[in-house]
Every structure is written in structure tokens, then in C-alpha cells.
Amino acid sequence: MTRRGTGPDFVEALARGLDVLACFDERSPLMSLTEVAAATGLARPTARRLLLTLEELGYVRAEAGGFRLTPRVLRLGMAYVSSQGLWEIARPHLEDLVRKTGESSSMSQLDGSDIVYVARVSVPKIIALRVQIGTRFPALRTSQGKVLLAALGPGELAATLAEPSRSGLPPASGRGGGRDRTWEADRAEIEAELRGVRARGWALADEELAPGVRSVAVPVRDGDGVVRAAMNVTVHAAETSVERLTEEYLPKLLHTAGEVSAEWAMWRSRPQVELS
């Protein structure tokens, strides 16, 4: 359903348009007018006008059977990434880390109870889940998410965990990493897990997101030492043990994250020059 704002300056038409864009996902890349109307809670005529407006602006295109997003929507997300300077700063460091490890590496930030990928350098390996910039996963089921959640205060953590995931993934089930992957429903165990992450400065996710997916992550900080992002190395569990991941790859990851943090802090503290 379309969310209603309470402020006097809230523009409902804009909110509805964003809801239309947000209803497309990996499971529904092509949607009919009826499906868009149902997903957003809008009347068909309203949904039609919004879709045609977005088509004219280049954000969606009409196809036989419905509408589909165009690559132009990437500008919306990349505008945020570019404004933070993350991608430009992180890319050469991620590429160097990938050369040293032979494994994929990514950076994510927290959005509600999900992580969203803002940078990634991958290697061609068969992995259970496809990941690209803009992909979101439930934070509690990922190493990067645990790092980011561990950096929150108690009140902020509770509010974040109360938000439903928008990743589209089904709830965790089965076993992963030698433990029940439904552990995230246990608040006491969540808090114990995050205390451990804070104490050691890194997090492990051992097949909690999907079978065969194992990763380790560390924080990326700004000039004030505040955790602003997380960086990981992802491996296939059948190829790389936890011991090798934490003993061989983790030190390289910590070094890389430190370099990115230092450069990002310098970038954010640069003098702002206004041209008149």
C-alpha cells in the first residue's frame, strides 16, 4: 500500500511514483498494469498514469504483457553511491583484494533491516545467490549485516530489527554452518552474536544466507570512527574452510578496509569549493 505522509509538504504523487518503481524486483521484472496496481494498492487509472509518466521519463518501458524497469533507474541509486564517494574510493582496493584472494569482495550499507550492496568486484564462480550493486539481503543473515547491526545502539538496533525485510527472500530455514539458521528469531542469541562481533571487530556468516555461501566482513569507518559501511570476502563453502577464510583472507580484508576508511575520511573532509 502507498504510504501516507503526515507533513504539510508531503507530495503524495511522488510517493506513489516511487512505490511503483519499488514494486519491481527480481521475482517480478515484468509486471502488468493490474499487477502494479495490486502491488502498490493504487487504482488502475492512477497506476496507469504513473507508469506512462515513468515511461516518458525513461525509467520503465512497455512490453508485450506489461512494463519493465530500464537501466535508467540505476542513476537513482548510483547518485547516492557517487555522492558518498564510496565506489570511486573502494573500487581499486576491492580489485586489489580480489587479485590477492581470488574471491569476490563487496561493500554494503544498512537500509532498514536489510543490507544494500554499494560496491562489488566479483570472480566467476558458481554461487547460490546472484549479487550486484543494489542487491539487498536480510542483514542478520549476512556477515556485512552483522557488522553494521553491531555498530548500532540498543534503541536503534531494536527499531531496525523491527522493520520487515524488503529483500524478497523467504525466511531462513534448515541448517547452516552447523547450527539452526532460524537462530535470528531468538533475540538473546542475536544480541550475543552481535556482542561477539563488536569484541573481535569482524563477523562470519557460514551458510546462513544460502547453502554454500560463506563470508567474513569487517567495518568501514569515517573520519570520526563511525561505522558507515561493511566490506566482505565471499567464498564457496565447499572450496574454502572457515579456518582459511579467517586466518588467510581476514587479515587482508582488515588491511583493505583500513585503507578504504582512511581514504574515505580524507575525501569527506576535503574543502568544498563553490563556483559562482
Side-chain angles (χ1 to χ4, degrees), residues 20 23-24 30-52 63-68:
V20 168
C23 75
F24 292 86
L30 179 68
M31 299 184 71
S32 67
L33 171 59
T34 299
E35 289 170 333
V36 170
T40 58
L42 298 171
R44 277 174 55 92
T46 301
R48 178 178 178 274
R49 288 196 301 272
L50 290 169
L51 283 166
L52 293 178
E63 293 186 3
F67 294 84
R68 187 187 299 272

Side-chain angles (χ1 to χ4, degrees), residues 47-231:
R48 178 178 178 274
R49 288 196 301 272
L50 290 169
L51 283 166
L52 293 178
T53 299
L54 291 168
E55 181 184 22
E56 188 170 343
L57 292 172
Y59 291 107
V60 303
R61 66 171 179 265
E63 293 186 3
F67 294 84
R68 187 187 299 272
L69 296 181
T70 73
R72 188 181 183 88
V73 299
L74 292 173
R75 295 185 182 182
L76 300 176
M78 290 307 297
Y80 169 75
V81 175
S82 298
S83 71
Q84 300 298 305
L86 271 175
W87 175 232
E88 292 84 353
I89 291 170
R91 177 168 53 187
H93 295 287
L94 289 176
E95 291 173 345
D96 185 56
L97 179 63
V98 168
R99 281 193 296 270
K100 292 175 179 177
T101 64
E103 306 289 353
S104 299
S105 182
S106 307
M107 285 183 62
S108 295
Q109 292 185 299
L110 202 60
D111 182 20
S113 61
D114 295 330
I115 61 165
V116 177
Y117 283 71
V118 297
R120 178 167 173 79
V121 177
S122 61
V123 296
K125 288 194 175 185
I126 297 176
I127 204 78
L129 294 171
R130 187 177 66 183
V131 179
Q132 57 194 4
I133 293 177
T135 295
R136 62 171 58 236
F137 290 133
L140 276 172
R141 291 163 63 181
T142 69
S143 59
Q144 294 185 92
K146 293 176 188 179
V147 165
L148 295 168
L149 291 171
L152 301 179
E156 192 176 5
L157 175 62
T160 298
L161 294 178
E163 295 190 35
S165 171
R166 291 183 286 144
S167 67
L169 291 183
S173 61
R175 300 192 66 82
R179 67 180 177 187
D180 187 347
R181 281 166 51 208
T182 60
W183 72 275
E184 63 189 68
D186 186 330
R187 184 57 184 268
E189 196 168 356
I190 290 172
E191 293 177 349
E193 175 88 3
L194 297 182
R195 281 197 302 271
V197 172
R198 293 187 200 102
R200 64 179 177 263
W202 54 271
L204 177 73
D206 191 5
E207 299 187 83
E208 295 162 38
L209 183 62
V213 179
R214 177 176 288 158
S215 67
V216 65
V218 300
V220 176
R221 304 175 185 273
D222 64 15
D224 297 320
V226 178
V227 176
R228 298 295 186 184
M231 178 183 293

